[in-house]
Amino acid sequence: MKLIKWSFLSLLFTGCTVLVKEVNYVNPLIGTAPSTTISSLKHGDGTENNAQVVPYVTVPFGMTNWTPQTKDTEIKCLAPYYYVDTVIQGFRGSHWLSGSCVQDYGSMTIMPISGSLKCLPTVRGSKFSHDKEKATPYSYQVHLDDYSINAEMTATKRSGLFKFTFEKAGEAHIVVNPNSDEGQGFVKIIPENNEIVGYNPVHRIYQGIGEEAGFKGYFVVQFSRKFKDFGVYQDNKILKGTTQISDLKNLGGFISFEASKNEILYATVGTSFTSIEQARKNLEAETKGLDFEEVQDDLKNTWGKLLSKVKVEGSNEDDKIKFYTAMYHSFLQPRTFNDADGSYVSFAGGKKILNSGDKDYYDDFSMWDIYRAGLPLVSLLEPKASADMMNSLFLKAEQGGWLPIFPCWNSYTSAMIGDHAVAAIADAYSKNLIEINEKQYGYLLKNAFESPKTIEEYKQGKGRRALESYLKYGYVPLEDGVEDSFHKKEQVSRTMEYAFDDFALSQIATKRGDLKNAEILKKRALNYQNVFSTSDLAVRAKYADGSFIKEYDKFSKQSFITEGTPYQYTWYAPQDIAGLMKLMGGKDGFNDNLDHFFASGQYWHGNEPGHQIPFLYNFSGQPWKTQQKVSEIMKTEYSVAVGGLSGNDDAGQMSAWYVFAAMGFYPVCPSVPEYVISAPHFDKITLHIGKGKTLIINAKGASSGNNFIQNLKINGTGYDKTYLSHFDMMDGGILDFKMDKQPNKSWGASSTNSPFSLSKQ
């Protein structure tokens, strides 16, 4: 029977090699070392110089992601793995938000050891060599040199599978621990079941820092063989024969056995956010009847199916590595939060166990980042997942009373500024991926027009920060320090981002026929103009009396700007570039100012607020400069090296930018169903966009440096517009770009060919 099964699987995957081919280009180690790109070295600071990604083995949007561990903490801004480290402490079931500066939570770690028992992560770690390390999306393998153990891991959506080969005979151990920095957690050995079970309570950061989030990360570890001895530990104290321990610092459990030479021990780990029993059920539901290799093949095929939705062809192999690695990074979060049977813990510290039915319930939305390109990429290639993600946001609103702004660890956080859940929902709604009922629409309006009635609700992260000031003045004045927020001040950035969110909500209101609110919100969408200084050709902070701040340098970081300079934030009016152009004196003034911005070295690709800037020449009659700038950024801010990402990847936003740029178009203004053209960077791109439709993009010579558009034909008809309709693309067809090394300065230059702007209507 086994031979028949393997013969069938061999035939299956032989017949599906096209699905596997793209996976082979993915290198999860890219971004795990400090950034070596130009703008990161110029503008980055501290953790901003790291992409903060780790080599995850996981299902796309998996509940638990599996990574080698070189850091034994869940402290904010410290990822579980860094390439520059030389010691592996174990293999972590992680909930680290990929590419972020938040914290891991509810995680656990497993570590094989040979010889004498060592329990604490900082003591038990083994040296390793990158020469003996192999990372893919579907497996990770490394040699633990100190123990002569070869370790491999693969995964399902909620479980991790491990294969430990003990090369030497003798005493052997497996150590398991929750990664609690608070001195909490629980571990229990169940010898009769060959199990170690436990949990790690989750705590909040940002609003409510240190408070319990109302749920735990539960785990069940099952072993393939009986063990001779077992016990628990706390610090350096080892308690052999003791079956459980809880709520102490540095605790864990272990099993011991005599390994024969080259003996293989398998360990499977089920995880859940609801209970130990659900972790056990998740493990059984996802792995029953499958061995390690079968699960690994399944995961390889899963990634293959996703990545093969975009087939790129061209002569530059490094660009293919960058492209498919970027796709991999773009589909790690948001995170599946429900169990295999649909169970999940209610939002915002709730004690109820709810059920998501036939949909997945998602959490960990790095919303300040991924609304820009990350979620639009999901909507383009995985529309069902996109719809379920938006549904999850509305479920959180129902359970917590407010639509969350930046929901992570199943809690309100308001970690960053803006109200971009509104923008993400508006984008999905504009593309007909979701419907919005009256109650859901009410939550959207509530965020835009109301503030919490109690300061405690506000401090917890409900509602827009500084909304009352914004509504009163049309901007957030310097007198409002936004003290009850994690990000304090940043008044100009808040003003500009709220103006965009207001526009996005106006799009929903218009489509629903709510013309009264649509008109109010469109007027508010112009509030970015209230903080623009014509004498500086840049944004500048204002006092409540309408006067601008006197001391000012648009080239340096300021307290009224979020993570950047006033000059960098000046270009954040994606809803109304035509209006921004008028403030700068028209096309010529706009282009001169934008040229000066780039020439002065102000563009910082490593942070998200500027990601739309290179595409703005499409609005001002010089699309060839967009083609030039995007090409430069793709070459200088991304590489195949381990330091090849420009800054925090922030749940895949940095990577999603690259995916769109390489395909030749970008969603400058989410909630408007169109993409701004920048030129493809492969000779041929084939997008499988669902319902049997295929979009073919031909751009002969693009992969070898012909990066300027000479002309474009869509289905054989000449096309001069500098944007593409989402709906036209979803119908499939053929885009034929004629490319050259020299720009055609007349293509798309007419103002009638420019993308959407509110002031053009």
Side-chain angles (χ1 to χ4, degrees):
M1 181 64 71
K2 191 70 174 176
L3 287 174
I4 295 173
K5 182 190 290 187
W6 279 111
S7 296
F8 171 74
L9 284 171
S10 178
L11 288 170
L12 174 64
F13 289 107
T14 299
C16 294
T17 53
V18 65
L19 301 182
V20 174
K21 180 180 178 183
E22 286 77 18
V23 185
N24 296 333
Y25 284 107
V26 177
N27 180 3
L29 293 174
I30 292 175
T32 60
S35 178
T36 55
T37 71
I38 295 172
S39 72
S40 177
L41 296 175
K42 179 179 176 64
H43 297 288
D45 182 27
T47 59
E48 292 170 354
N49 284 328
N50 285 303
Q52 297 288 82
V53 297
V54 296
Y56 271 156
V57 177
T58 184
V59 171
F61 313 123
M63 170 183 280
T64 303
N65 317 121
W66 302 89
T67 176
Q69 173 184 302
T70 65
K71 302 292 185 190
D72 69 327
T73 179
E74 292 184 337
I75 290 175
K76 180 179 181 286
C77 292
L78 200 61
Y81 173 97
Y82 290 99
Y83 190 86
V84 295
D85 292 337
T86 58
V87 172
I88 285 180
Q89 304 168 338
F91 303 92
R92 180 181 291 199
S94 174
H95 307 115
W96 171 259
L97 187 63
S98 177
S100 72
C101 190
V102 293
Q103 94 278 30
D104 205 343
Y105 67 89
S107 69
M108 57 80 64
T109 301
I110 181 171
M111 178 67 174
I113 294 170
S114 62
S116 60
L117 176 63
K118 301 174 184 177
C119 293
L120 292 177
T122 53
V123 176
R124 73 189 185 213
S126 171
K127 292 180 181 178
F128 74 105
S129 166
H130 293 300
D131 293 336
K132 298 179 182 178
E133 179 185 45
K134 182 180 179 182
T136 75
Y138 54 87
S139 67
Y140 175 88
Q141 182 176 350
V142 70
H143 189 266
L144 302 176
D145 294 340
D146 290 353
Y147 299 125
S148 297
I149 296 173
N150 188 61
E152 301 173 67
M153 63 181 176
T154 189
T156 64
K157 185 178 283 190
R158 301 169 182 87
S159 304
L161 289 82
F162 298 86
K163 180 181 180 181
F164 301 130
T165 302
F166 294 81
E167 297 169 349
K168 295 180 179 179
E171 187 179 356
H173 318 273
I174 306 291
V175 181
V176 173
N177 64 277
N179 298 300
S180 173
D181 293 311
E182 293 80 15
Q184 297 181 346
F186 168 77
V187 166
K188 180 178 181 180
I189 319 293
I190 309 177
E192 61 272 22
N193 291 351
N194 288 348
E195 285 184 348
I196 297 180
V197 303
Y199 59 72
N200 179 8
V202 178
H203 292 76
R204 296 175 55 160
I205 60 172
Y206 304 130
Q207 284 79 3
I209 186 168
E211 296 177 8
E212 292 193 1
F215 68 102
K216 303 175 176 68
Y218 296 93
F219 59 87
V220 171
V221 188
Q222 298 179 345
F223 302 99
S224 61
R225 61 158 291 166
K226 294 285 185 182
F227 37 87
K228 183 178 70 173
D229 294 310
F230 60 86
V232 298
Y233 69 88
Q234 192 269 320
D235 278 335
N236 292 312
K237 188 176 182 180
I238 295 175
L239 304 172
K240 286 190 175 182
T242 301
T243 58
Q244 68 182 63
I245 189 170
S246 64
D247 296 331
L248 295 168
K249 280 192 172 294
N250 302 320
L251 63 81
F254 64 88
I255 65 164
S256 303
F257 58 97
E258 286 293 323
S260 57
K261 186 176 181 180
N262 291 323
E263 178 175 345
I264 296 174
L265 180 139
Y266 293 96
T268 55
V269 185
T271 67
S272 170
F273 293 124
T274 56
S275 70
I276 289 174
E277 185 55 35
Q278 281 295 132
R280 188 179 287 112
K281 288 180 179 179
N282 288 340
L283 182 60
E284 182 170 349
E286 295 179 351
T287 67
K288 186 176 181 180
L290 298 174
D291 60 27
F292 182 91
E293 285 73 21
E294 289 171 318
V295 171
Q296 184 174 263
D297 285 341
D298 283 349
L299 184 52
K300 185 175 186 180
N301 202 36
T302 296
W303 276 108
K305 286 180 179 178
L306 174 57
L307 298 177
S308 66
K309 289 187 174 184
V310 186
K311 180 182 179 181
V312 299
E313 301 176 52
S315 59
N316 193 317
E317 291 298 292
D318 280 357
D319 283 353
K320 294 177 185 177
I321 293 171
K322 289 192 287 185
F323 182 83
Y324 286 113
T325 301
M327 274 194 74
Y328 154 78
H329 281 140
S330 300
F331 288 90
L332 295 175
Q333 270 97 35
R335 178 185 319 287
T336 301
F337 199 78
N338 59 285
D339 294 319
D341 67 1
S343 301
Y344 70 93
V345 181
S346 57
F347 185 62
K351 304 301 181 184
K352 293 181 180 179
I353 303 297
L354 304 176
N355 196 283
S356 61
D358 61 352
K359 298 183 176 78
D360 277 330
Y361 171 80
Y362 292 92
D363 195 47
D364 288 355
F365 289 81
S366 188
M367 199 59 85
W368 189 67
D369 314 290
I370 61 175
Y371 83 91
R372 305 168 196 266
L375 289 175
L377 185 61
V378 175
S379 70
L380 182 66
L381 299 177
E382 290 286 309
K384 183 185 181 304
S386 175
D388 289 349
M389 290 171 187
M390 299 307 107
N391 180 64
S392 299
L393 293 172
F394 282 127
L395 288 174
K396 295 175 195 299
E398 290 178 15
Q399 294 160 29
W402 291 80
L403 186 71
I405 286 170
F406 195 101
C408 284
W409 41 99
N410 208 35
S411 301
Y412 287 102
T413 69
S414 188
M416 296 296 296
I417 69 169
D419 185 14
H420 301 317
V422 171
I425 290 168
D427 193 55
Y429 186 56
S430 74
K431 295 170 181 173
N432 296 333
L433 301 182
I434 60 171
E435 295 294 330
I436 297 176
N437 63 37
E438 195 65 28
K439 184 177 181 181
Q440 293 168 338
Y441 184 51
Y443 288 120
L444 292 162
L445 293 176
K446 185 177 181 180
N447 270 32
F449 289 94
E450 299 179 33
S451 293
K453 294 180 180 178
T454 68
I455 191 64
E456 286 307 313
E457 279 188 296
Y458 183 75
K459 286 182 177 180
Q460 287 293 306
K462 298 179 179 181
R464 292 188 184 184
R465 313 292 90 176
L467 178 63
E468 291 181 4
S469 291
Y470 175 77
L471 294 180
K472 180 177 180 180
Y473 298 100
Y475 60 94
V476 181
L478 283 166
E479 287 89 344
D480 189 341
V482 202
E483 295 300 322
D484 291 317
S485 181
F486 179 75
H487 273 245
K488 305 182 190 310
K489 300 183 179 180
E490 303 179 3
Q491 296 93 336
V492 169
S493 295
R494 292 180 195 279
T495 299
M496 301 188 77
E497 297 203 18
Y498 286 158
F500 169 72
D501 295 325
D502 288 339
F503 167 77
L505 185 51
S506 80
Q507 292 285 90
I508 296 176
T510 299
K511 186 175 177 180
R512 289 180 58 84
D514 181 4
L515 301 184
K516 179 181 177 182
N517 279 317
E519 194 60 30
I520 293 170
L521 291 161
K522 283 179 183 177
K523 288 180 180 177
R524 284 168 49 173
L526 300 176
N527 281 345
Y528 73 92
Q529 298 176 356
N530 295 334
V531 290
F532 185 85
S533 168
T534 53
S535 61
D536 300 297
L537 293 178
V539 293
R540 187 168 182 165
K542 267 185 177 179
Y543 292 101
D545 65 5
S547 63
F548 283 113
I549 191 172
K550 288 184 171 58
E551 293 185 9
Y552 175 72
D553 177 7
K554 71 180 181 182
F555 295 99
S556 65
K557 293 184 178 180
Q558 305 288 337
S559 65
F560 52 82
I561 296 292
T562 302
E563 299 179 1
T565 70
Y567 210 5
Q568 289 164 350
Y569 244 98
T570 293
W571 312 95
Y572 187 80
Q575 73 277 17
D576 192 30
I577 301 303
L580 185 62
M581 204 178 303
K582 291 176 185 176
L583 293 175
M584 295 181 184
K587 282 186 179 182
D588 290 343
F590 181 89
N591 287 327
D592 287 346
N593 198 15
L594 192 50
D595 288 346
H596 183 253
F597 172 81
F598 280 107
S600 62
Q602 274 284 295
Y603 182 69
W604 178 18
H605 193 67
N607 211 10
E608 282 73 19
H611 274 191
Q612 81 286 354
I613 298 175
F615 301 90
L616 299 188
Y617 287 109
N618 276 28
F619 296 78
S620 57
Q622 296 185 339
W624 64 273
K625 287 184 180 178
T626 281
Q627 297 154 34
Q628 180 184 56
K629 295 300 180 187
V630 170
S631 296
E632 289 174 359
I633 293 164
M634 292 176 69
K635 292 172 184 174
T636 60
E637 300 301 323
Y638 298 84
S639 78
V640 297
V642 289
L645 282 175
S646 185
N648 292 176
D649 197 44
D650 286 319
Q653 167 58 27
M654 194 77 57
S655 292
W657 187 98
Y658 186 91
V659 174
F660 273 117
M663 292 191 296
F665 51 91
Y666 186 82
V668 165
C669 187
S671 76
V672 175
E674 65 181 36
Y675 306 91
V676 176
I677 295 172
S678 58
H681 278 70
F682 291 98
D683 297 345
K684 184 177 180 181
I685 304 169
T686 305
L687 281 81
H688 300 283
I689 47 181
K691 297 182 179 178
K693 301 290 180 65
T694 301
L695 179 68
I696 297 173
I697 303 172
N698 294 315
K700 186 177 180 181
S703 67
S704 54
N706 292 342
N707 299 140
F708 290 101
I709 299 170
Q710 304 304 297
N711 60 60
L712 168 60
K713 292 182 179 179
I714 298 182
N715 297 326
T717 301
Y719 188 84
D720 289 329
K721 293 182 177 5
T722 59
Y723 62 91
L724 298 168
S725 160
H726 172 79
F727 296 109
D728 289 345
M729 292 172 63
M730 296 306 288
D731 283 337
I734 300 175
L735 278 61
D736 288 307
F737 286 88
K738 183 178 180 181
M739 308 295 294
D740 196 81
K741 292 186 184 298
Q742 299 300 320
N744 175 2
K745 297 182 181 181
S746 64
W747 181 84
S750 170
S751 58
T752 60
N753 293 325
S754 62
F756 173 90
S757 277
L758 183 57
S759 293
K760 277 180 62 180
Q761 286 184 308

